[in-house]
Amino acid sequence: MINNPYDMRKVVLFLALISSIMAFGQASDPVIMTINGVPVPRSEFEYSYNKNNGADVIDKKSVDEYVDLFINYKLKVAAALDAHYDTLSSFKQEYTMYRDQQVRPTMATDADVLMEAKKVYDRAKEQIGPRGLILPAHILIRVSTKATQAEQDKAKLRIDSVYNALRGGADFAELAKKVSDDKQTAVNGGQLPYWIGPNQSIKEFEDAAYALQKDEMSQPVLSPVGWHVILMKDRKQLEPFDSLKAQIVKNIEQQGVRDHIAKQRIMSEVDASSGALTSEKVMDLRADSLAAVDPEMKYLMKEYHDGLLLYEISKQVVWDKGSSDEAGLQAYFKDHQKDYAWSEPHYKGIAYHVKDKADIKAVKKCVKKLPFDQWADKLRSTFNPDSVVRIRVEIGIFKPGDNALVDTEVFKTTPKKGANEKQTAVLKDYPFSAVYGKKLKRPEDYTDVRGQVVSDYQDMLEKAWVYDLRKKYAFSVNKEVLKTVNKH
């Protein structure tokens, strides 16, 4: 209870301030529509409209055309929420994964990445030390650690011969290409493809190389892999950080440095909370704070959330039902059979090729009394159960031009140029060919045009669903605010 009039005045002023802030917010982002009692701000509609009608979209919609699509989308999401799809653990896990992919990188700033890049540079500089970096080339005569004395002597003679030739004026790069056993560097005249620092190579090789100045050549050096003659192409000290900064940042970005920093920051916040926070809660709070200041991020996360709900409910109500409801598909086909008429006859059956002429009749007998959808499995298990392939067969519903053998035997037409020659080349070990099935003027069953029927049936289910949703849930559109989309 407030007894002090001054305190009361402060409360009134505070409430007035809040009211003015809310009014300003509503004025700057007015409600464009209300779906099932939930207001939709203009900014959310604009985000969705602009994203789905960008420059790369072929079938662009006007704002008025997009309204109905958006309303249908929101109604489906409302239905999914009413059905508690958002409580499913599978939904929560998938949404959290998508959301965190967007949120986690924001927990690492460019300054954080730059700091990590400097750490990488400092570690490299400390490791390299005053010895600097070298770019050697070498000619290798490989010697196995298990080589016999005779093999070792032969290798020594070869490297001595190479060394003497080089001292006599032979070109190092050309000789490396011809005789070096290090084929990866030989193609480049013996030169290593990158600068190396201390402790990055075989000790014997490294010690000899670092002892050389630029353009100086070593005597033969024995290492665990064989004999080397080394030519120092160049040496340098590590460049200043600023000149390498961009490259280091690029490399660590590719290695996921932001994700690494973010995970460290999350764990740091969890530890600092003394048990009050979990990593999941930290991410929840971070997502909320981003959504409060970044409308683009807010609507991207909402798009993930609602899109997953839409997928789950559409899968159950439309897609799975439309593809598995055999009775419904059959009934739909019966009611719309004229929509699936063919402009030319088709052949429902098989075109097959066999090694043994007797198998021509055997194939027909095998499938004669079976439903068409069982032919493929029966033929496979009867004639091709293992690595021995007795027949080659193509099964389906063929129209003229689909199969050279069907064209010849059924449609009595001349196959496309080259079709028979190609077929003959592929099936030369299967000299006997035949077809079996029946010629149809029109589809006799929905399975003959299943793909089309499923698509049309799903489309019917979708329309019926939307019709029911529009009757079930209240919605309204503010026409005046709609006129201001992308115009304020």
Side-chain angles (χ1 to χ4, degrees):
M1 182 174 180
I2 302 174
N3 296 315
N4 188 326
Y6 178 71
D7 291 337
M8 177 61 78
R9 287 196 298 273
K10 288 198 294 183
V11 171
V12 171
L13 289 171
F14 176 74
L15 292 175
L17 176 62
I18 292 297
S19 298
S20 66
I21 291 172
M22 291 176 65
F24 175 77
Q26 291 171 353
S28 62
D29 192 11
V31 172
I32 196 168
M33 63 182 69
T34 302
I35 310 289
N36 192 32
V38 178
V40 177
R42 179 178 59 192
S43 59
E44 181 181 352
F45 179 84
E46 286 179 333
Y47 170 86
S48 181
Y49 175 77
N50 294 332
K51 186 168 185 177
N52 290 286
N53 288 274
D56 57 339
V57 176
I58 297 175
D59 185 22
K60 289 185 172 64
K61 305 291 183 184
S62 68
V63 171
D64 289 335
E65 289 172 330
Y66 192 72
V67 166
D68 277 344
L69 296 175
F70 188 80
I71 289 172
N72 293 344
Y73 167 70
K74 285 293 187 179
L75 291 173
K76 293 172 187 176
V77 172
L81 290 170
D82 278 355
H84 304 296
Y85 279 86
D86 57 326
T87 65
L88 297 174
S89 59
S90 58
F91 166 80
K92 291 179 179 179
Q93 289 171 2
E94 192 163 6
Y95 170 65
T96 299
M97 179 189 72
Y98 278 127
R99 185 203 63 184
D100 290 356
Q101 285 175 353
Q102 299 298 319
V103 173
R104 191 180 289 112
T106 69
M107 301 186 76
T109 65
D110 290 344
D112 294 327
V113 174
L114 193 60
M115 188 180 299
E116 287 297 317
K118 186 63 166 62
K119 290 178 183 177
V120 171
Y121 175 84
D122 289 343
R123 286 195 297 269
K125 186 174 183 181
E126 182 179 359
Q127 181 180 351
I128 292 168
R131 300 181 75 186
L133 297 167
I134 56 174
L135 184 63
H138 78 141
I139 296 173
L140 171 67
I141 301 301
R142 200 174 296 279
V143 183
S144 169
T145 55
K146 298 180 181 179
T148 64
Q149 188 60 50
E151 290 170 334
Q152 294 179 40
D153 292 344
K154 182 178 180 181
K156 184 63 169 67
L157 286 173
R158 286 186 64 200
I159 198 67
D160 286 343
S161 175
V162 167
Y163 180 65
N164 290 331
L166 291 169
R167 290 189 65 190
D171 183 83
F172 191 97
E174 290 303 315
L175 198 55
K177 292 176 183 178
K178 291 178 181 177
V179 305
S180 180
D181 290 333
D182 182 354
K183 300 305 179 186
Q184 289 185 326
T185 62
V187 295
N188 197 33
Q191 182 174 310
L192 272 64
Y194 44 79
W195 293 82
I196 63 172
N199 304 313
Q200 291 185 330
S201 184
I202 300 170
K203 184 179 186 306
E204 293 81 358
F205 178 90
E206 184 178 303
D207 289 346
Y210 266 103
L212 300 173
Q213 297 304 313
K214 183 179 178 182
D215 298 327
E216 191 176 359
M217 185 179 74
S218 74
Q219 295 183 4
V221 178
L222 181 62
S223 82
V225 298
W227 287 97
H228 312 257
V229 174
I230 306 168
L231 175 64
M232 183 52 58
K233 303 292 289 185
D234 205 355
R235 327 182 44 130
K236 67 177 182 179
Q237 293 296 320
L238 185 64
E239 293 89 340
F241 173 67
D242 285 345
S243 63
L244 297 176
K245 178 173 61 179
Q247 181 182 342
I248 297 173
V249 167
K250 180 181 177 181
N251 288 342
I252 63 176
E253 288 271 27
Q254 290 174 344
Q255 294 168 14
V257 67
R258 288 184 186 270
D259 197 54
H260 176 70
I261 294 170
K263 287 178 180 177
Q264 287 184 323
R265 189 149 291 161
I266 291 168
M267 294 313 300
S268 176
E269 291 188 28
V270 170
D271 293 341
S273 73
S274 300
L277 294 175
T278 63
S279 57
E280 292 79 8
K281 186 61 178 176
V282 170
M283 292 302 294
D284 289 342
L285 293 171
R286 179 66 178 178
D288 290 343
S289 65
L290 284 173
V293 298
D294 185 350
E296 194 79 11
M297 180 66 79
K298 172 185 176 181
Y299 292 135
L300 177 62
M301 290 190 286
K302 187 170 182 58
E303 183 180 20
Y304 281 143
H305 181 275
D306 292 354
L308 287 170
L309 288 176
L310 177 63
Y311 173 83
E312 290 298 335
I313 195 167
S314 297
K315 185 173 182 291
Q316 179 172 327
V317 175
V318 176
W319 303 331
D320 287 354
K321 179 177 173 59
S323 61
S324 62
D325 181 8
E326 303 298 332
L329 289 165
Q330 184 66 53
Y332 184 86
F333 173 76
K334 185 177 180 180
D335 292 340
H336 301 83
Q337 198 162 355
K338 65 180 185 301
D339 296 337
Y340 303 101
W342 291 326
S343 60
E344 55 189 349
H346 286 49
Y347 185 71
K348 183 178 182 178
I350 53 175
Y352 62 102
H353 314 272
V354 299
K355 293 175 178 286
D356 187 339
K357 191 173 184 179
D359 277 341
I360 289 180
K361 290 185 177 180
V363 167
K364 296 177 181 178
K365 184 178 179 181
C366 176
V367 300
K368 186 174 183 179
K369 296 181 180 180
L370 293 175
F372 184 68
D373 60 3
Q374 296 179 21
W375 286 17
D377 288 340
K378 185 63 175 178
L379 289 172
R380 188 181 302 108
S381 63
T382 303
F383 295 96
N384 302 334
D386 48 36
S387 58
V388 178
V389 180
R390 283 171 60 187
I391 68 169
R392 291 197 176 276
V393 59
E394 185 175 352
I395 185 169
I397 299 178
F398 306 95
K399 65 180 185 295
D402 283 349
N403 182 280
L405 184 60
V406 173
D407 285 348
T408 302
E409 298 296 323
V410 178
F411 299 121
K412 308 302 181 184
T413 60
T414 303
K416 293 179 180 179
K417 186 177 180 181
N420 277 334
E421 291 82 348
K422 181 180 179 182
Q423 188 181 77
T424 300
V426 173
L427 301 171
K428 62 182 180 180
D429 295 328
Y430 299 83
F432 305 102
S433 302
V435 297
Y436 182 69
K438 55 184 173 182
K439 192 174 180 180
L440 303 175
K441 290 184 178 180
R442 63 186 65 84
E444 61 181 0
D445 186 83
Y446 86 90
T447 57
D448 296 340
V449 282
R450 183 184 177 90
Q452 292 173 266
V453 176
V454 167
S455 178
D456 292 343
Y457 185 51
Q458 288 174 332
D459 187 52
M460 184 197 74
L461 292 174
E462 166 88 13
K463 290 176 180 176
W465 183 35
V466 170
Y467 178 80
D468 290 340
L469 292 175
R470 282 177 169 256
K471 287 199 302 181
K472 180 178 180 180
Y473 296 111
F475 60 91
S476 62
V477 178
N478 188 323
K479 298 291 186 181
E480 293 305 312
V481 175
L482 189 64
K483 292 177 184 178
T484 68
V485 169
N486 290 334
K487 295 178 182 178
H488 54 91

